[in-house]
Structures are given as C-alpha cells and as structure tokens.
C-alpha cells in the first residue's frame, strides 16, 4: 500500500454526485491537503454541474474511467446503497481506497464480500458513518468508557421525518433501491445502541409494512444483560430526533438531530451542564480527516469505526429485517 506524507495532497474522486455528495464535497474543500480530483455519474451533465460548483478537476465519462484513473487516490461512494457493493468492489480491484456511504452494503453478505475484496487488494475501506466521528459522539464515548455515568441502564434514540408524499420511485420508497426507513435512517439509532452498549442479547421489532413490501416505520427494543435500548425510525411522521443515555449516576441528553448534534446536556449527581461541541462545516469533515489520518500511517481500516463494526451493524439490521419480514425483491 502507498502511504502519504503529512504534507502530501490526497486526491478524492466522487461517485454519484447527489445531495449528500454535494455536502461532502463542500466539506472536502475545507480539509487541508484534500483535493477533489474527479467525479463520475451516470448523468454526465449532472457531473459537469457538480464539477463546476465544487472545483473538481476532471469529469470522467464513466465510473470505470474514474476507477482506472492513476490521478485519484480515494473514492467517496454516494450512490443509493444497492449499488455500493458492485461499485466499491470494482474500484478496489483497481487499487482505490474507499469511503462508502452507509449502509456499506444492503445485507451482511454484501459487506463481508466488500471487506474480503479490500483485504485481498490491500486497500483502505471504511463505512461513512459520519456520526461516529463528530465531536459530540467522540466526547460522549470517551466519558462513557471512563464510566462517568456508571453502568449504563437505558438508551433511547429516534430518527423520523415525513416522506410518504414523495415519488414512489424515489430512493426512500422504492423496493428495488432497498428503500424504507430502517436502512436509510434507522441505522442511526441502531448504531448508537451498538456503539454504547455493544451487541444485544435479544432484539424485538415491529414494523408498519406498505403494500410494496417496504416498511414505513420500525420500533425496536434491544435487550442487554442489564440495560435496554428503545429505538425508532420512520417516514410517517416527524420526530424530535433526540437521544438519551442513562446510567446509574446520571444522564446525557443529546441535542435534537442527535446524529449531527453540536453538543449535549450532562446531568450527573444532580448537576446539569450544557456542553457545546460544534461540528466543522456540514459535519463530513471529521470522517474525511479520519480517512486522511489512516492513509498517512498506512492503516487499512479505522480504529474508531472498524470493518468488524460495519459487519456487526449490518448483522443487527439484517436481524431486524428478518423479525419484521422485510425483504427486497433482488434478494
């Protein structure tokens, strides 16, 4: 594997220039030593417009041309998640490092195949679970690891917004694109419970299933040895998008839209403190910096969000889908 010096520019390619990629590219332009070298899309006009907006050096005629390019070091894959595995594997076989939007694969088999390909080709691979790298989550995780709240007994997290009025062929509501709330936004509450409490000993789940076979909302209960996590995701309503972590000594209350919170409230032994931890840019800067740190020391995966973490997370999502009979037509 080629390593990068601390002063050397790391050249990025964007695969799938949609709305999330636009926010990501805006943040790439904030990070020192990051260069947006190329972009590719199935719609070349969209790629050209994206390149003009974010100062991208090259618009490639196809994904394959981008993957073969010698001028690009690492790719950010931001297509709908049904295409993640195929595109990532093609790129890794050409020696490209990968930051792949969450979920990394639609199911565990896909993630396992991607991890195997990364190891066979000696390239870096990380799931773009941006929340893991935000200052708020970093700070909370460190304090919980130091048992500041004592033993954790309860966790609650939700993520919902109204989306039922969207086009039925849209990414969120199309079964062929692995739509539904669970993989798109339910992954966040599941991630938080996994990060804080680990793998549960038992999962219960109920879903509202639409006529097309997708779910529109999911309620989940994770049971641990001495703790419970109550989790929810949905497209049928708006929610506060709040999160609470409760231990024997006190509580952490994450600010609304907790997955990208700029701080939280700590309440320990009756003393309440508001902690401000603003994210940088749109918040993608932190995962970009993690990729750079890994590449500059020759690491093929992150210690903060490892490939094993990605496998565990998708295993939990698979189990929830199994419990609620959610299956995609291509599976």
């Amino acid at each position: 594997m080629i390593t990068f010096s601390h002063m050397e520019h790391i050249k990025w390619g964007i695969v799938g220039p949609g709305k999330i990629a636009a926010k990501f590219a805006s943040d790439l332009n904030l990070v020192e030593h990051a260069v947006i070298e190329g972009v590719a899309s199935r719609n070349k006009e969209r790629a050209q417009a994206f390149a003009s907006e974010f100062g991208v050096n090259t618009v490639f005629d196809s994904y394959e041309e981008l993957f073969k390019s010698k001028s690009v070091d690492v790719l950010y894959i931001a297509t709908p998640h049904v295409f993640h595995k195929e595109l990532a594997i093609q790129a890794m076989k050409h020696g490209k490092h990968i930051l792949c939007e969450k979920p990394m694969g639609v199911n565990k088999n896909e993630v396992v195949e991607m991890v195997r390909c990364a190891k066979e080709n000696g390239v870096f691979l990380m799931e773009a679970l941006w929340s893991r790298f935000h200052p708020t989550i970093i700070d909370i995780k460190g304090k919980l690891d130091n048992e500041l709240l004592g033993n954790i007994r309860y966790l609650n997290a939700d993520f919902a917004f109204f989306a039922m009025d969207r086009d039925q062929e849209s990414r969120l509501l199309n079964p062929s694109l692995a739509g539904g709330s669970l993989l798109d936004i339910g992954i966040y509450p599941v991630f938080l419970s996994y990060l804080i409490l680990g793998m549960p000993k038992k999962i219960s789940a109920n879903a509202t299933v639409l006529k097309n076979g997708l779910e529109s909302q999911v309620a989940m209960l994770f049971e641990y040895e001495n703790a419970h996590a109550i989790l929810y995701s949905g497209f049928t309503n708006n929610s506060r998008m709040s999160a609470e972590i409760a231990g024997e000594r006190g509580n952490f209350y994450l600010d609304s839209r907790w997955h990208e919170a700029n701080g939280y409230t700590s309440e320990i032994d009756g003393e309440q403190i508001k902690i401000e931890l603003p994210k940088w840019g749109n918040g993608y800067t932190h995962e970009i910096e993690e990729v750079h740190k890994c590449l500059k020391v020759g690491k093929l995966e992150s210690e903060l969000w490892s490939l094993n973490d990605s496998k565990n997370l998708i295993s939990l999502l698979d189990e929830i889908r199994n419990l609620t009979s959610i299956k995609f037509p291509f599976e």
Side-chain angles (χ1 to χ4, degrees), residues 44-89:
K44 191 167 184 182
E45 288 183 0
R46 180 187 294 174
Q48 288 170 333
F50 187 94
S52 297
E53 183 174 359
F54 298 106
V56 182
N57 291 333
T58 307
V59 176
F60 290 89
D61 289 330
S62 67
Y63 292 143
E64 188 176 10
E65 280 195 21
L66 173 56
F67 300 161
K68 288 180 177 179
S69 170
K70 301 297 184 184
S71 64
V72 175
D73 303 311
V74 55
L75 298 175
Y76 171 61
I77 296 179
T79 62
H81 32 261
V82 289
F83 306 116
H84 288 176
K85 184 199 79 167
E86 178 186 351
L87 293 172
I89 286 177

Side-chain angles (χ1 to χ4, degrees), residues 5 14 18 37 67 91 99 111 129 153 206 215 221 251 262 298 312 326:
S5 72
I14 306 293
E37 181 65 25
F67 300 161
L99 175 64
V111 172
L129 232 162
R153 300 304 190 198
N206 284 290
E215 47 73 29
L221 173 64
N251 299 54
N262 288 309
N312 284 340
I326 298 165

Side-chain angles (χ1 to χ4, degrees), residues 24-42:
F24 184 88
S26 177
D27 279 5
L28 264 176
N29 284 327
L30 298 176
V31 176
E32 190 176 16
H33 304 309
V35 174
I36 313 179
E37 181 65 25
V39 61
S41 171
R42 290 193 170 121

Side-chain angles (χ1 to χ4, degrees), residues 63-126:
Y63 292 143
E64 188 176 10
E65 280 195 21
L66 173 56
F67 300 161
K68 288 180 177 179
S69 170
K70 301 297 184 184
S71 64
V72 175
D73 303 311
V74 55
L75 298 175
Y76 171 61
I77 296 179
T79 62
H81 32 261
V82 289
F83 306 116
H84 288 176
K85 184 199 79 167
E86 178 186 351
L87 293 172
I89 286 177
Q90 285 181 30
M92 287 188 288
K93 287 181 177 178
H94 284 98
K96 294 292 180 282
H97 305 298
I98 302 292
L99 175 64
C100 183
E101 256 310 326
K102 53 81 192 162
M104 195 152 75
V106 170
N107 53 49
K108 187 175 182 180
N109 288 340
E110 288 195 354
V111 172
V112 168
E113 193 175 342
M114 293 166 75
V115 170
R116 184 187 306 119
C117 183
K119 292 181 177 179
E120 287 173 351
N121 289 278
V123 296
F124 175 87
L125 173 64
M126 189 177 88

